[in-house]
Amino acid sequence: MVRLLILCWVLLPLLAVMSGGVRGGEVTYDGRSLIINGERKVLFSGSIHYPRSPREMWPSLISKAKEGGLDVIQTYVFWNLHEPQPGKYDFSGRRDLVRFIKEIQAQGLYASIRIGPFIQSEWSYGGLPFWLHDVPGITFRCDNEPFKAFMQNFTTKIVNMMKSERLYASQGGPIILSQIENEYQMVENAFGERGPPYIKWAAEMAVGLQTGVPWVMCKQDDAPDPVINACNGRKCGETFKGPNSPNKPSIWTENWTSRYQAYGEDPIGRTADDIAFHVALWVARNGSFVNYYMYHGGTNFGREASAFVTASYYDDAPLDEYGMINQPKWGHLKELHAAIKLCSNTLLLGKAMTPLQLGPKQEAYLFAENSSEECASAFLVNKDKQNVDVVFQNSSYKLLANSISILPDCRNVIFNTAEVKTQTNTRTRIPIMYFNASDQWEEFKEPIPNFEDTSLKSDTLLEHTDTTKDTSDYLWYSFSFQPEPSDTRAQLSVHSLGHVLHAFVNGVPVGSAHGSYKNTSFTLQTDFSLSNGINNVSLLSVMVGLPDSGAYLERKRYGPVAVSIQNKEGSMNFTNYKWGQKVGLLGENLQIYTDEGSKIIQWSKLSSSDISPPLTWYKTVFDATGEDEYVALNLNGMRKGEARVNGRSIGRYWPSLITPRGEPSQISYNIPRSFLKPTGNLLVLLEEEGGDPLSITLESVVIDSVCGKARASHYRHYNGSREAKVVHLQCAPNGYITKILFASYGTPFGGCGRDGHAIGYCDSPNSKFAAEKVSFC
C-alpha cells in the first residue's frame, strides 16, 4: 500500500476558461432516454442555484462542474426573489437568471430549469412570495382560481424570458428540460378533491406554453401525459416505481449528495462510494438522467433560508460552499461518469437482458448489442456487507462489499463504486485578522419599546407573519398593567408557536426561549420583579425563516398565542388584552448596517462589562487583503443574530443553539470576495442574546492538504489493460506541492487526512525520498 499526504500552497485565484456553446435542437424522449437533436443521451446533471452564490462565481462553478463530468446544470427559479411585490420584478445581480443560463451555454453544457414555482429547496416560504398570503380567497397549491392565476402568470413570465433570449434547445439554446410544481404528491391528499384537478391543470398549463422541450414533475407518480414523472431521494434505483408510461424515460431529479443542516441538528453526510453505488444501480436499471442535489450548495444569504436552516447549504457537495472541489466526492463521481459513458452506446442503443443472479445478494445487469444476445456491457452488483467472489462469463470476480463493478466490455472491470482511488483533500480555516481590541468596536443598544411606543394597536395578539409581511424576522408585542401594591414578584408565562421569544419587563431582560427545527412551538416561563405603579411588558417574537413546505402554508400561525402572569393572588390572562405591536427593530428600519445608515445614530464605545447586553448592534471596519481567495467570518463568542458586511447579509447565525454532539451547527460564515473592498469594509452584527465580539476572527479558507492511497488492486488502465499500481495527487488550481508528510508501502497505519500516520511492519525507507524526487522535478 502507498499513502501520501501532500500540503499545497495556493497562489492565485482560478481563472475560468470559456468554451463553445452547446448545439441545440429538438428534444424528445422515449422509454429509454431523452433524445436531443436525434441523439440519445445518458446525462449527468448537477444542481447549482444562481442566488446562492454571487454571479462572479458562476463561471468557475460551472467550469468545475463540467470538468467533473457533468452534462447539465440544474437550477430552481426563485419566485419570491424575482417578484417581491406583485408585478414588480427583479433580475439583477445574483438574481440574473438569463445570465446564469447563458454562462451554462457558453461553457458547453445543457440546462434544466425547475420553475415550480413552488420549489421548497429549504428556501423561505418554499419560494412563494409572501404577498400571495394576502390575496383574497387564496389557497396555495390546489384547484384554487386566485392561486392558479398568479402561478400561471409567473410561469409564463419566466418561459417568455427564456424564449425571448432563445435559450430553449428548440431555439438553439441550452435548456433541455423544465419542471412544473415540486413533490406535490406529498401534500396532495391534504387537499382532497381539489388536488388531482390542480395537478392536471398545472401539466396542461405548462405544456401549453410550447417551450419545445419536455416537462417533468418530481415525486408525482400520476404526472399527466406528456409530463414525465421523476424521482427524488438517495436511492432511486431501489425506490422508484418507474415511469407511468412505457414511452417515458427514467429521470432522477434529486440525488442528494448529503443533506442540508438545521440549527441545533447534527450534520448528515453521505460518502462518495454510496452516491456512486446508487447512480450505477440507477443506470443499470434503465435510468438515463441523474441530477446531483446539490452539486454546489452555496450560501443562504440574508433571510432566504427556511425555518431553522443554516446559512451554509450542502457544504459537503462535490463543490463546497466556497466553490472549492471537495475530494474524494468530486473525483470519484468524475471517474464514475467516465466509466458509464464508455457503456453509453450499448446502454442506449442495445438491449437490456434479463438480470443474472450471481449469488444470494449478487446480480449482473447485462446489455447486448442491438438484437445480439451476446453480452456487451455489464454491471455486477453486490448488496452484501462483505466482499464476495463470483463467477461471471466463466471468469472469477471479487465484488467488494456494497459495490457495483462496471464492465464496459463484459470482461474487464474499469470502475468499482466502493474503490475510491481519487485523492482526499482537507479544508482548513486560518485566522488572518483578529477583532480582539475593544477600541476596534462600537455598539448601539436597540431600544425596548413600551405600549405607548407602538403604532399598531389591537385587542388580542396578532399573528406574527401576517403582521410583519415577511419584511423582518422581528415583531414586538407590548402591554402595560398595574399590579397590587403588595406584589413584588410574579411569573410570566408565554406560549408561542415559534420560533424564538425574548421577554423584557420595564426594559430589563427577564428571559428567552425558543423552539427547535422539529418542534417550533414552546413555552417561556420566567420570574421577574414588579415595580410600583405601571409595569411594561415587551415581548420580541423572532422568526428564523419562514416554513418551506406542507399543505395550507397560508394558514399557518406563528408567534405568541397565550400570555399570563401569575402572582401570589392568582393568574391574570393577558391573551385578549390591549396590545401594541411594532414591526422590526429600529436598527433595521434605519439600516444602520450600511455606510449611510450607520451615520444616522450615535454609536458608543464597546461596553467594558463582563456581561454583554442582549439586543445590541456591534460595528467595526476592517481591510481585506487581496491574497485570500476564500474568506470566512468566525463568529466564535457570538450567540444569535445576523451578520452583515458592507450592508450585505451573510446570513443568520446561532452558535448558542448546540447540536446533540455538543457543537454549534455553524460557526464560520462565507464572505464572497465580491462582497469585499480592499479597505474600509463595514462589519455590523446584530446580537440578540448577548455575545462577545472580541472573540471574532476573519479567516482564510484553503485546501491545505491532499491525500491519496493505492492498494494492490489499484491500477491505471491503458486501452483496457492494467499496467501499473499508481496513486495520483494534484493540488488545487495554481497550487504546488510544498511537502510530502508520509509515504510508505506494505502495512502503514492511519488514513487520509491530518490525523495519525505511522510506518507499519513492512516499509521501505526510500519510498518518501522517491516520491519527493518525482514530485519536485
Side-chain angles (χ1 to χ4, degrees):
M1 180 184 287
V2 176
R3 296 190 180 193
L4 302 177
L5 179 63
I6 295 180
L7 298 183
C8 301
W9 185 259
V10 178
L11 295 177
L12 297 171
L14 174 67
L15 298 178
V17 179
M18 304 295 287
S19 62
V22 296
R23 183 166 58 95
E26 182 185 27
V27 182
T28 58
Y29 61 80
D30 61 14
R32 188 63 195 95
S33 71
L34 292 179
I35 303 170
I36 303 174
N37 214 24
E39 183 179 355
R40 297 184 183 280
K41 298 281 188 178
V42 173
L43 295 170
F44 296 104
S45 173
S47 290
I48 299 175
H49 294 161
Y50 55 98
R52 284 181 158 132
S53 58
R55 63 182 184 181
E56 290 84 357
M57 287 178 60
W58 296 346
S60 174
L61 293 173
I62 295 166
S63 174
K64 292 172 184 175
K66 180 178 181 179
E67 187 184 352
L70 295 194
D71 309 288
V72 186
I73 301 297
Q74 180 209 78
T75 184
Y76 277 122
V77 179
F78 298 78
W79 188 0
N80 55 10
L81 275 191
H82 295 307
E83 194 178 7
Q85 297 298 325
K88 296 181 180 179
Y89 296 99
D90 186 354
F91 293 94
S92 62
R94 58 189 174 90
R95 300 170 178 83
D96 194 342
L97 173 61
V98 167
R99 178 170 175 173
F100 183 71
I101 300 298
K102 287 185 175 180
E103 182 64 39
I104 295 170
Q105 181 181 26
Q107 298 216 31
L109 298 179
Y110 296 112
S112 169
I113 58 172
R114 304 172 74 184
I115 299 176
F118 170 82
I119 60 170
Q120 192 165 318
S121 187
E122 294 71 58
W123 192 263
S124 191
Y125 225 38
L128 300 177
F130 193 82
W131 53 260
L132 279 176
H133 174 277
D134 296 328
V135 173
I138 199 166
T139 302
F140 297 168
R141 303 179 68 202
C142 70
D143 191 20
N144 172 270
E145 293 304 321
F147 180 76
K148 291 193 299 182
F150 284 105
M151 174 178 168
Q152 181 171 5
N153 181 70
F154 180 74
T155 304
T156 304
K157 170 77 174 180
I158 296 301
V159 167
N160 286 344
M161 280 184 62
M162 300 300 103
K163 283 183 177 180
S164 67
E165 299 289 339
R166 303 193 63 80
L167 293 177
Y168 284 105
S170 56
Q171 303 171 295
I175 301 174
I176 59 170
L177 205 62
S178 301
Q179 179 179 303
I180 194 71
E181 250 298 337
N182 190 67
E183 298 183 340
Y184 186 71
Q185 195 166 316
M186 298 176 67
V187 298
E188 186 171 355
N189 288 341
F191 294 106
E193 62 182 14
R194 294 195 295 172
Y198 166 71
I199 212 66
K200 183 176 183 294
W201 167 85
E204 292 176 349
M205 181 269 291
V207 173
L209 293 174
Q210 299 182 353
T211 62
V213 303
W215 289 83
V216 299
M217 286 182 172
C218 61
K219 285 193 175 181
Q220 191 67 41
D221 293 342
D222 60 349
D225 292 343
V227 176
I228 304 166
N229 61 302
C231 185
N232 286 3
R234 287 180 174 232
K235 302 179 179 181
C236 281
E238 298 176 351
T239 61
F240 188 46
K241 297 178 182 179
N244 60 21
S245 164
N247 297 320
K248 297 178 183 179
S250 293
I251 289 179
W252 191 352
T253 41
E254 290 189 14
N255 179 8
W256 304 327
T257 56
S258 61
R259 187 182 184 273
Y260 65 90
Q261 190 171 1
Y263 287 112
E265 298 286 313
D266 284 326
I268 299 175
R270 192 178 181 195
T271 61
D273 57 294
D274 183 62
I275 300 172
F277 176 93
H278 288 283
V279 171
L281 184 64
W282 172 260
V283 173
R285 292 182 171 177
N286 213 43
S288 57
F289 182 105
V290 57
N291 176 75
Y292 299 106
Y293 189 99
M294 299 289 296
Y295 199 78
H296 164 72
T299 304
N300 292 313
F301 297 110
R303 300 172 52 248
E304 293 166 354
S306 61
F308 281 81
V309 171
T310 61
S312 178
Y313 191 65
Y314 276 84
D315 185 37
D316 194 31
L319 300 178
D320 70 11
E321 178 182 5
Y322 301 89
M324 293 188 287
I325 289 174
N326 178 21
Q327 297 282 33
K329 196 168 284 187
W330 182 88
H332 192 54
L333 295 178
K334 176 181 180 178
E335 293 179 3
L336 169 68
H337 304 152
I340 291 176
K341 286 296 179 74
L342 288 176
C343 310
S344 60
N345 285 341
T346 306
L347 294 173
L348 296 172
L349 303 176
K351 174 185 177 183
M353 302 167 67
T354 303
L356 179 65
Q357 203 69 29
L358 303 178
K361 296 183 179 181
Q362 296 78 38
E363 56 189 351
Y365 290 85
L366 290 71
F367 296 85
E369 292 282 1
N370 299 321
S371 59
S372 170
E373 293 300 323
E374 183 178 350
C375 178
S377 297
F379 293 74
L380 307 186
V381 181
N382 179 21
K383 294 185 178 180
D384 205 332
K385 295 181 180 179
Q386 59 187 6
N387 298 347
V388 176
D389 291 321
V390 299
V391 175
F392 171 70
Q393 299 282 90
N394 298 319
S395 296
S396 179
Y397 294 87
K398 180 179 287 293
L399 303 185
L400 300 180
N402 295 313
S403 76
I404 299 178
S405 292
I406 299 176
L407 292 68
D409 58 359
C410 275
R411 294 186 303 276
N412 295 300
V413 176
I414 67 162
F415 183 86
N416 180 272
T417 59
E419 198 169 44
V420 181
K421 301 177 184 179
T422 191
Q423 67 187 29
T424 298
N425 59 22
T426 57
R427 187 183 70 186
T428 190
R429 297 178 174 91
I430 303 170
I432 55 176
M433 186 177 298
Y434 294 88
F435 297 92
N436 54 1
S438 59
D439 59 1
Q440 289 178 275
W441 290 96
E442 294 179 285
E443 66 180 25
F444 171 72
K445 292 180 174 62
E446 178 73 23
I448 313 300
N450 292 329
F451 177 82
E452 291 79 9
D453 302 322
T454 59
S455 57
L456 182 60
K457 303 294 194 295
S458 64
D459 294 326
T460 189
L461 294 159
L462 300 180
E463 196 276 326
H464 183 124
T465 60
D466 188 44
T467 307
T468 62
K469 309 300 184 188
D470 194 32
T471 59
S472 171
D473 284 345
Y474 302 97
L475 178 62
W476 285 104
Y477 295 82
S478 184
F479 72 95
S480 301
F481 76 104
Q482 185 167 355
E484 294 296 325
S486 60
D487 289 340
T488 59
R489 299 285 297 175
Q491 183 183 74
L492 173 68
S493 178
V494 183
H495 180 63
S496 176
L497 298 180
H499 297 149
V500 179
L501 192 74
H502 305 298
F504 302 81
V505 176
N506 300 321
V508 177
V510 297
S512 294
H514 61 79
S516 67
Y517 172 68
K518 295 178 180 177
N519 183 14
T520 58
S521 64
F522 60 93
T523 298
L524 166 66
Q525 287 188 324
T526 182
D527 294 332
F528 65 95
S529 298
L530 291 166
S531 300
N532 291 327
I534 299 296
N535 283 257
N536 293 289
V537 177
S538 301
L539 307 175
L540 181 60
S541 177
V542 186
M543 294 292 289
V544 189
L546 294 179
D548 67 343
S549 59
Y552 302 106
L553 272 178
E554 73 285 349
R555 300 182 189 177
K556 294 185 182 294
R557 290 184 57 83
Y558 295 92
V561 292
V563 178
S564 64
I565 293 178
Q566 176 81 33
N567 60 18
K568 62 183 179 181
E569 296 182 359
S571 178
M572 297 175 285
N573 191 330
F574 290 94
T575 303
N576 295 310
Y577 195 71
K578 193 67 174 178
W579 284 89
Q581 279 90 188
K582 181 180 179 182
V583 175
L585 304 177
L586 177 63
E588 277 187 307
N589 296 332
L590 297 177
Q591 296 186 339
I592 65 173
Y593 46 81
T594 64
D595 286 331
E596 291 300 317
S598 66
K599 300 173 185 177
I600 296 176
I601 62 167
Q602 184 65 46
W603 294 86
S604 303
K605 291 183 179 180
L606 188 67
S607 172
S608 59
S609 172
D610 293 336
I611 302 176
S612 301
L615 278 187
T616 301
W617 298 81
Y618 297 102
K619 181 187 78 166
T620 190
V621 176
F622 67 96
D623 297 337
T625 66
E627 299 176 357
D628 303 291
E629 184 176 0
Y630 305 108
V631 180
L633 189 69
N634 187 316
L635 292 173
N636 178 45
M638 306 307 289
R639 297 183 58 80
K640 184 184 182 303
E642 188 171 354
R644 295 176 174 88
V645 176
N646 294 326
R648 305 171 79 168
S649 174
I650 58 174
R652 303 181 182 97
Y653 64 83
W654 202 350
S656 66
L657 185 56
I658 302 301
T659 71
R661 294 183 187 178
E663 302 172 346
S665 304
Q666 183 177 353
I667 197 74
S668 290
Y669 285 74
N670 175 31
I671 308 177
R673 286 297 306 188
S674 59
F675 284 20
L676 296 173
K677 303 178 292 185
T679 60
N681 294 284
L682 177 66
L683 169 62
V684 177
L685 308 172
L686 167 61
E687 173 56 48
E688 294 177 27
E689 299 179 356
D692 177 18
L694 299 181
S695 299
I696 293 173
T697 56
L698 190 69
E699 303 171 324
S700 175
V701 186
V702 297
I703 300 296
D704 68 331
S705 64
V706 296
C707 177
K709 56 187 176 182
R711 298 186 179 92
S713 59
H714 286 192
Y715 290 89
R716 175 178 290 172
H717 291 263
Y718 297 95
N719 299 322
S721 64
R722 300 185 299 178
E723 293 196 2
K725 303 177 183 69
V726 298
V727 58
H728 176 74
L729 292 164
Q730 182 179 6
C731 288
N734 302 300
Y736 63 90
I737 297 170
T738 60
K739 183 188 293 184
I740 295 178
L741 295 184
F742 186 76
S744 181
Y745 67 80
T747 58
F749 297 105
C752 287
R754 292 188 294 274
D755 299 328
H757 297 83
I759 294 174
Y761 300 113
C762 174
D763 180 75
S764 168
N766 297 322
S767 60
K768 183 172 183 289
F769 170 77
E772 286 183 329
K773 183 177 180 180
V774 172
S775 299
F776 289 103
C777 284

